[in-house]
Amino acid sequence: SPTLAKDTSRYTSAHGFQDFRPGQLTEVTPAEYTDVDDCGGNIWYSEETMDVQAVHNIALLEGP
């Protein structure tokens, strides 16, 4: 999702959770991926974001 970090920051702010610390989120994407429409990528963006938010929140609850 091209807005994954921004969406997650908005979510954490709205719900009082800690946001990602610098360097805590890394997205690895192909250099030239142009088949987003062929695989319905825009449909998967929200699912990807929810998955990352869920894991991030679980990590915050578990703590170091």
Side-chain angles (χ1 to χ4, degrees):
S1 169
T3 60
L4 178 77
K6 182 175 76 173
D7 293 343
T8 300
S9 290
R10 185 173 34 228
Y11 174 84
T12 57
S13 177
H15 295 283
F17 296 121
Q18 179 181 343
D19 200 0
F20 291 113
R21 291 186 303 246
Q24 200 172 25
L25 173 67
T26 302
E27 291 184 81
V28 179
T29 57
E32 292 196 29
Y33 183 72
T34 59
D35 298 328
V36 173
D37 292 335
D38 292 340
C39 70
N42 57 348
I43 294 170
W44 288 100
Y45 291 163
S46 59
E47 180 65 33
E48 178 185 6
T49 300
M50 287 187 292
D51 291 347
V52 169
Q53 290 169 352
V55 171
H56 179 65
N57 291 335
I58 289 169
L60 290 173
L61 292 173
E62 292 297 319

